[in-house]
Coordinates of all heavy atoms in Angstrom, one line a residue:
H394 N -49.4 8.3 29.9 CA -50.3 8.5 31.0 C -50.4 9.9 31.4 O -51.2 10.3 32.3 CB -49.7 7.7 32.3 CG -48.4 8.2 32.8 ND1 -47.3 8.3 31.9 CD2 -48.0 8.7 34.0 CE1 -46.3 8.8 32.6 NE2 -46.7 9.1 33.9
V449 N -41.2 6.9 31.7 CA -42.0 6.8 32.9 C -41.1 6.3 34.1 O -40.6 5.2 34.1 CB -43.2 5.8 32.7 CG1 -44.0 5.7 34.0 CG2 -44.0 6.3 31.5
D450 N -41.0 7.2 35.1 CA -40.2 6.9 36.3 C -41.2 6.7 37.4 O -41.8 7.7 37.9 CB -39.2 8.0 36.5 CG -38.3 7.7 37.7 OD1 -38.4 6.6 38.3 OD2 -37.5 8.6 38.1
L451 N -41.4 5.5 37.9 CA -42.3 5.2 39.0 C -41.5 4.9 40.3 O -42.1 4.4 41.3 CB -43.2 4.0 38.7 CG -44.0 4.1 37.4 CD1 -44.8 2.8 37.1 CD2 -45.0 5.3 37.5
S452 N -40.3 5.3 40.3 CA -39.4 4.9 41.5 C -39.7 5.8 42.7 O -40.1 7.0 42.5 CB -38.0 5.0 41.1 OG -37.6 6.3 40.8
A453 N -39.5 5.3 43.9 CA -39.6 6.0 45.1 C -38.8 5.3 46.2 O -38.8 4.1 46.2 CB -41.1 6.2 45.6
E456 N -41.2 2.0 49.7 CA -41.8 0.9 48.9 C -43.3 1.2 48.8 O -43.9 0.9 47.7 CB -41.6 -0.4 49.6 CG -42.1 -1.6 48.8 CD -41.7 -2.9 49.5 OE1 -40.6 -3.0 50.2 OE2 -42.4 -3.9 49.3
C457 N -44.0 1.7 49.8 CA -45.4 1.9 49.7 C -45.7 3.1 48.8 O -46.7 3.0 48.0 CB -46.0 2.3 51.1 SG -45.9 0.9 52.3
E458 N -44.9 4.1 48.8 CA -45.0 5.2 47.9 C -44.8 4.8 46.4 O -45.6 5.2 45.5 CB -44.1 6.3 48.2 CG -44.3 7.6 47.4 CD -43.3 8.7 47.8 OE1 -42.6 8.6 48.8 OE2 -43.2 9.7 47.0
E459 N -43.9 3.9 46.2 CA -43.6 3.4 44.8 C -44.8 2.6 44.4 O -45.3 2.8 43.2 CB -42.4 2.5 44.8 CG -42.0 2.1 43.4 CD -40.6 1.5 43.4 OE1 -39.7 2.2 43.2 OE2 -40.5 0.2 43.4
R460 N -45.4 1.8 45.3 CA -46.6 1.0 44.9 C -47.7 2.0 44.5 O -48.5 1.7 43.6 CB -47.0 0.1 46.1 CG -48.2 -0.7 45.8 CD -48.1 -1.6 44.6 NE -49.4 -2.2 44.2 CZ -49.7 -2.5 43.0 NH1 -48.8 -2.3 42.0 NH2 -50.9 -3.0 42.7
E461 N -47.9 3.1 45.3 CA -48.9 4.0 45.0 C -48.8 4.7 43.7 O -49.7 4.9 42.9 CB -49.0 5.1 46.1 CG -50.1 6.1 46.0 CD -51.5 5.4 46.1 OE1 -51.6 4.3 46.7 OE2 -52.5 5.9 45.5
K462 N -47.5 5.0 43.3 CA -47.2 5.6 42.0 C -47.6 4.6 40.9 O -48.1 5.0 39.8 CB -45.7 5.9 41.9 CG -45.3 7.2 42.5 CD -43.8 7.5 42.1 CE -43.4 8.8 42.6 NZ -42.0 9.2 42.2
I463 N -47.4 3.3 41.1 CA -47.8 2.3 40.1 C -49.3 2.3 39.9 O -49.8 2.2 38.8 CB -47.2 0.9 40.4 CG1 -45.7 1.0 40.4 CG2 -47.7 -0.2 39.5 CD1 -45.0 -0.2 41.0
I464 N -50.0 2.3 41.0 CA -51.5 2.3 41.0 C -52.0 3.5 40.2 O -52.9 3.5 39.4 CB -52.1 2.2 42.4 CG1 -51.7 0.9 43.0 CG2 -53.6 2.4 42.4 CD1 -52.1 0.8 44.5
E465 N -51.4 4.7 40.5 CA -51.8 5.9 39.9 C -51.6 5.8 38.4 O -52.4 6.3 37.5 CB -51.0 7.1 40.4 CG -51.4 7.5 41.9 CD -50.6 8.5 42.5 OE1 -49.6 9.0 41.8 OE2 -50.8 8.9 43.6
F466 N -50.4 5.2 38.0 CA -50.1 5.1 36.5 C -51.2 4.2 35.9 O -51.7 4.5 34.8 CB -48.7 4.4 36.4 CG -48.4 4.0 35.0 CD1 -48.0 5.0 34.0 CD2 -48.6 2.7 34.5 CE1 -47.7 4.6 32.7 CE2 -48.3 2.4 33.2 CZ -47.8 3.3 32.3
Q467 N -51.5 3.1 36.5 CA -52.5 2.1 36.0 C -53.9 2.8 35.9 O -54.6 2.6 34.9 CB -52.6 0.9 36.8 CG -51.4 0.0 36.7 CD -51.4 -1.2 37.7 OE1 -51.6 -1.0 38.9 NE2 -51.2 -2.4 37.2
E468 N -54.2 3.7 36.8 CA -55.5 4.4 36.7 C -55.5 5.4 35.6 O -56.5 5.5 34.9 CB -55.7 5.2 38.1 CG -56.1 4.2 39.2 CD -56.1 5.0 40.6 OE1 -55.7 6.2 40.6 OE2 -56.7 4.4 41.5
K469 N -54.4 6.0 35.3 CA -54.3 6.9 34.2 C -54.4 6.1 32.9 O -55.0 6.6 31.9 CB -52.9 7.6 34.2 CG -52.8 8.7 35.3 CD -53.6 9.9 34.9 CE -53.4 11.0 35.9 NZ -54.2 12.2 35.5
M470 N -53.8 4.9 32.8 CA -53.9 4.1 31.6 C -55.3 3.6 31.4 O -55.8 3.4 30.2 CB -52.9 2.9 31.7 CG -51.5 3.4 31.7 SD -51.0 4.6 30.4 CE -50.9 3.5 29.0
V493 N -40.4 0.6 32.4 CA -40.4 1.7 33.3 C -39.2 1.6 34.3 O -38.5 0.7 34.3 CB -41.7 1.8 34.1 CG1 -42.9 1.9 33.2 CG2 -41.9 0.5 34.9
N494 N -39.1 2.7 35.1 CA -38.1 2.6 36.1 C -38.7 2.5 37.5 O -39.7 3.2 37.8 CB -37.2 3.9 36.1 CG -36.1 3.9 37.1 OD1 -35.4 2.9 37.3 ND2 -36.0 5.0 37.9
T495 N -38.3 1.5 38.3 CA -38.7 1.4 39.7 C -37.5 0.9 40.5 O -36.5 0.4 39.9 CB -39.8 0.3 39.9 OG1 -39.3 -1.0 39.5 CG2 -41.0 0.6 39.0
L496 N -37.5 1.1 41.8 CA -36.4 0.7 42.6 C -36.6 -0.7 43.1 O -35.7 -1.5 43.3 CB -36.2 1.7 43.8 CG -35.8 3.1 43.4 CD1 -35.6 4.0 44.7 CD2 -34.4 3.1 42.6
N497 N -37.8 -1.0 43.5 CA -38.2 -2.3 44.0 C -38.3 -3.3 42.9 O -39.0 -3.2 42.0 CB -39.5 -2.2 44.8 CG -39.8 -3.5 45.6 OD1 -39.4 -4.6 45.2 ND2 -40.4 -3.3 46.8
E499 N -39.7 -6.2 42.8 CA -41.0 -6.9 42.7 C -42.2 -6.0 42.5 O -43.3 -6.5 42.3 CB -41.2 -7.7 44.0 CG -40.1 -8.7 44.3 CD -39.9 -9.8 43.2 OE1 -40.9 -10.2 42.6 OE2 -38.8 -10.2 43.0
S500 N -42.0 -4.7 42.5 CA -43.1 -3.8 42.5 C -44.0 -3.8 41.3 O -45.2 -3.6 41.4 CB -42.6 -2.3 42.8 OG -41.7 -2.0 41.8
V501 N -43.4 -4.1 40.1 CA -44.3 -4.2 38.9 C -44.4 -5.6 38.4 O -45.0 -5.8 37.3 CB -43.7 -3.3 37.8 CG1 -43.7 -1.8 38.2 CG2 -42.3 -3.7 37.4
S502 N -43.9 -6.6 39.1 CA -44.0 -8.0 38.7 C -45.5 -8.4 38.5 O -46.3 -8.3 39.5 CB -43.4 -8.9 39.8 OG -43.5 -10.2 39.4
G503 N -45.9 -8.8 37.3 CA -47.2 -9.2 37.1 C -48.2 -8.1 36.8 O -49.4 -8.4 36.6
Q504 N -47.8 -6.8 36.9 CA -48.7 -5.7 36.8 C -48.9 -5.4 35.3 O -48.0 -5.4 34.5 CB -48.1 -4.5 37.5 CG -48.0 -4.6 39.0 CD -49.3 -4.9 39.7 OE1 -50.3 -4.2 39.4 NE2 -49.3 -5.9 40.6
T505 N -50.2 -5.1 34.9 CA -50.5 -4.9 33.5 C -51.4 -3.7 33.4 O -51.9 -3.1 34.4 CB -51.2 -6.1 32.9 OG1 -52.5 -6.3 33.6 CG2 -50.4 -7.4 33.1
F506 N -51.6 -3.3 32.2 CA -52.7 -2.4 31.8 C -53.2 -2.8 30.4 O -52.6 -3.5 29.7 CB -52.2 -0.9 31.8 CG -51.1 -0.6 30.8 CD1 -51.4 -0.2 29.5 CD2 -49.8 -0.7 31.2 CE1 -50.4 0.1 28.6 CE2 -48.8 -0.4 30.3 CZ -49.1 0.0 29.0
L529 N -46.2 -4.3 32.6 CA -45.1 -3.4 33.0 C -43.9 -4.2 33.3 O -43.9 -5.3 33.8 CB -45.6 -2.7 34.3 CG -46.7 -1.7 34.2 CD1 -47.1 -1.1 35.6 CD2 -46.3 -0.5 33.3

Side-chain angles (χ1 to χ4, degrees):
H394 63 305
V449 178
D450 185 5
L451 303 176
S452 64
E456 188 173 330
C457 293
E458 184 180 349
E459 184 167 277
R460 178 60 191 148
E461 185 61 26
K462 281 189 172 184
I463 295 169
I464 293 172
E465 290 173 358
F466 172 81
Q467 290 173 309
E468 289 174 346
K469 288 288 187 181
M470 297 309 286
V493 299
N494 183 46
T495 64
L496 294 181
N497 191 327
E499 303 298 326
S500 58
V501 294
S502 179
Q504 299 297 315
T505 67
F506 62 88
L529 291 176

